[in-house]
């Protein structure tokens, strides 16, 4: 059974949302990191998640593709329950091969670039398609070169990560995630490790992806990106979503005092 069949072969109803999160809860010891989180991401939508450090944003993102198990609630991707199967009213962990297949369609870009230092940029991009999807080297290389052109790194295919700037490394990481031909992309503060002058080149690539219709969930502190690119903004604080809606509403006329205080702090950084 191929990846798309794994995603869609289910007793679940046909999905209206690319991602659907309901009542998501996660605790570490006595600390509740996620507290009854619910939201939807429609196909082709860009959702920005903002909020103070420690509010649960990165944990939420990891739960979306099951890099982090969750305690209660559910995440559904293309209608399929992420990480678990339900039989006889009881939930158990999904088979690892099915988790991996589903995860391959939810590309993820981290704060740190996580490129293999002993491989060239091209080798980094073709590694997963060859190992996971069993693509031929020729097919994987052809797609990788097209993706490197897309992110402005066509002339860096044979370079090693250590010779690249932070912005170039992050763009290579985006190309690597796209090489798996994901249905949606998750970004965990992809510009936070970059020098200010390099932030724009990564945001430009992400903005182009959004314009091309890629479904994206982006944890970010870049308020201009949230305002100009996102279709919807979620504000998190203390593990909960305290506000969500169109950026022109949430960022310009927030309902909650906690959102107003956060945005005020961001304006005076």
């Amino acid at each position: 059974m191929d990846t798309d069949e794994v995603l869609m072969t289910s007793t679940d109803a046909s999905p209206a949302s690319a991602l659907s999160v309901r009542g998501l809860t996660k605790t570490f010891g006595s600390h509740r990191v996620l507290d009854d989180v619910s939201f939807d991401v429609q196909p082709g939508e860009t959702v920005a998640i903002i909020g103070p450090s420690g509010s649960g944003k990165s944990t939420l993102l990891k739960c979306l593709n099951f890099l982090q198990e969750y305690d209660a609630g559910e995440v559904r991707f293309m209608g399929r329950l992420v990480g678990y199967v339900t039989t006889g009213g009881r939930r158990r962990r999904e088979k690892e091969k099915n988790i991996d297949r589903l995860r391959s369609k939810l590309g993820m870009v981290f704060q740190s670039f996580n490129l293999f230092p002993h491989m060239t940029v091209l080798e980094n991009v073709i590694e997963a398609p060859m190992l996971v999807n069993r693509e031929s080297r020729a097919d994987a290389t052809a797609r990788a070169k097209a993706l490197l052109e897309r992110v402005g790194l066509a002339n860096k295919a044979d370079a090693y990560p250590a010779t690249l700037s932070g912005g170039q490394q992050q763009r290579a990481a985006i190309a690597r995630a796209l090489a798996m031909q994901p249905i949606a992309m998750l970004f965990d503060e992809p510009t936070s490790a970059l020098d200010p002058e390099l932030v724009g080149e990564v945001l430009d690539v992400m903005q182009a992806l959004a314009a091309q219709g890629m479904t994206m969930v982006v944890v970010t502190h870049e308020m201009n990106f949230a305002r100009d690119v996102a279709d919807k903004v979620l504000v998190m604080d203390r593990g909960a979503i305290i506000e969500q809606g169109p950026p022109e509403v949430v960022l310009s006329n927030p309902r909650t005092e906690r959102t107003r205080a956060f945005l005020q702090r961001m304006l005076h950084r």
Side-chain angles (χ1 to χ4, degrees), residues 110-132:
F110 299 88
Q111 297 176 35
S112 55
F113 319 122
N114 294 334
L115 297 172
F116 295 117
H118 62 290
M119 294 182 177
T120 66
V121 169
L122 181 66
E123 289 168 340
N124 267 278
V125 177
I126 67 175
E127 179 78 357
M130 290 174 57
L131 287 180
V132 178

Side-chain angles (χ1 to χ4, degrees), residues 10-150:
S10 167
T11 57
D12 304 328
S14 177
S17 304
L19 277 161
S20 180
V21 179
R22 292 291 178 271
L24 195 66
T25 300
K26 175 65 184 177
T27 59
F28 292 111
S30 60
H31 178 48
R32 181 166 288 194
V33 181
L34 298 177
D35 187 7
D36 195 26
V37 171
S38 298
F39 65 96
D40 291 296
V41 182
Q42 305 304 324
E45 191 173 47
T46 296
V47 174
I49 303 176
I50 66 172
S53 297
S55 59
K57 303 183 302 295
S58 292
T59 299
L60 171 60
L61 214 64
K62 290 174 184 175
C63 286
L64 295 185
N65 70 351
F66 213 63
L67 286 175
Q68 180 70 63
E69 293 190 32
Y70 45 93
D71 300 324
E74 64 177 36
V75 177
R76 290 184 183 272
F77 176 47
M78 303 303 292
R80 185 178 177 88
L81 187 64
V82 171
Y84 301 102
V85 292
T86 302
T87 53
R90 300 185 65 180
R91 192 163 78 174
R92 60 177 174 80
R93 187 182 173 96
E94 175 69 276
K95 294 178 181 177
E96 290 303 318
K97 66 178 182 179
N98 288 341
I99 293 174
D100 289 342
R101 285 170 179 161
L102 184 144
R103 193 180 286 146
S104 73
K105 291 301 181 182
L106 265 173
M108 188 155 183
V109 177
F110 299 88
Q111 297 176 35
S112 55
F113 319 122
N114 294 334
L115 297 172
F116 295 117
H118 62 290
M119 294 182 177
T120 66
V121 169
L122 181 66
E123 289 168 340
N124 267 278
V125 177
I126 67 175
E127 179 78 357
M130 290 174 57
L131 287 180
V132 178
N133 292 349
R134 305 299 183 190
E135 291 185 24
S136 69
R137 177 173 286 272
D139 288 346
T141 298
R143 182 182 302 107
K145 288 182 176 179
L147 288 170
L148 291 175
E149 176 76 32
R150 188 174 172 184

